[in-house]
Amino acid sequence: MPSKISHIGVAVHSIEEAAKFYRKLGLEIESIEVVESQKVRVAFIPIGDVRIELLEPTSDESTVAKFLEKKGEGIHHLAFATDHLQDKLKNAEENGIRLIDKVPRPGAHKANIAFLHPKSTHGILLELCEESHS
Ligand code: CMX
């Protein structure tokens, strides 16, 4: 079973603008990277052993750009940390859960990730995240 919440993805127009808000609460960005395959720039803000993941689209074709256009800024996805990700995906599919990714793919922070479709999770875009321990 998933072991903890890894991070909470938040769609924003600008990481720099959003960072000003988090700084007022005493929270700082730990790292920023571009995930080319998802056409996003991501910034991680640690809070306890969870992170806020700010997601800024790098292209109009990014799924995050579409989300911002339709819904505006806000919570985009929830990520559960898990091990044995490929097995978890197989198990989820066998249990009738709709997968967006049948095979794990590289995400930020050297993690392997896969998404479950919000239509089969009661409305949340759910990411399963196999965190890197290196
Ligand atoms: N959370 C909850 N529901 C969502 C959602 C989200 N983030 N994004 C879309 N939906 C819902 C919509 O509200 C819509 O519901 P209705 O039909 O009831 O209106 C439905 O899903 C379809 O939405 P859409 O706008 O037509 O979007 P698409 O079907 O084109 O894409 C999704 C939706 C989830 C399949 C797509 O965003 C996806 O593949 N996401 C996974 C990849 C991703 O999000 N990458 C960015 C982050 C990368 C990272 O963290 O590294």
Side-chain angles (χ1 to χ4, degrees):
M1 80 175 70
S3 52
K4 61 168 188 167
I5 305 283
S6 163
H7 60 266
I8 299 161
V10 178
V12 298
H13 291 291
S14 157
I15 284 176
E16 280 67 26
E17 284 304 312
K20 290 179 191 167
F21 160 74
Y22 286 97
R23 207 164 288 128
K24 286 177 190 167
L25 300 180
L27 297 169
E28 289 290 341
I29 289 176
E30 167 192 69
S31 61
I32 298 184
E33 65 187 279
V34 172
V35 181
E36 295 285 357
S37 61
Q38 294 298 298
K39 301 187 173 73
V40 285
R41 199 158 76 99
V42 304
F44 284 99
I45 300 177
I47 173 164
D49 63 355
V50 178
R51 289 183 171 83
I52 305 287
E53 180 189 45
L54 301 179
L55 297 156
E56 177 194 286
T58 56
S59 153
D60 290 347
E61 284 139 43
S62 163
T63 55
V64 175
K66 188 171 178 186
F67 179 92
L68 284 167
E69 197 183 309
K70 282 180 93 167
K71 304 193 189 209
E73 294 187 315
I75 293 183
H76 177 265
H77 69 265
L78 190 59
F80 291 168
T82 187
D83 53 11
H84 308 296
L85 178 54
Q86 183 65 77
D87 294 344
K88 294 290 190 313
L89 290 175
K90 189 165 169 281
N91 190 259
E93 193 169 37
E94 283 168 2
N95 280 293
I97 297 170
R98 184 170 158 196
L99 308 183
I100 293 174
D101 302 295
K102 293 200 176 200
V103 177
R105 56 187 173 74
H109 257 189
K110 296 186 187 158
N112 282 322
I113 63 171
F115 285 92
L116 310 182
H117 201 284
K119 290 295 176 196
S120 70
T121 65
H122 299 265
I124 296 171
L125 176 59
L126 207 57
E127 176 185 325
L128 297 180
C129 176
E130 189 168 28
E131 295 175 342
S132 162
H133 298 293
S134 66

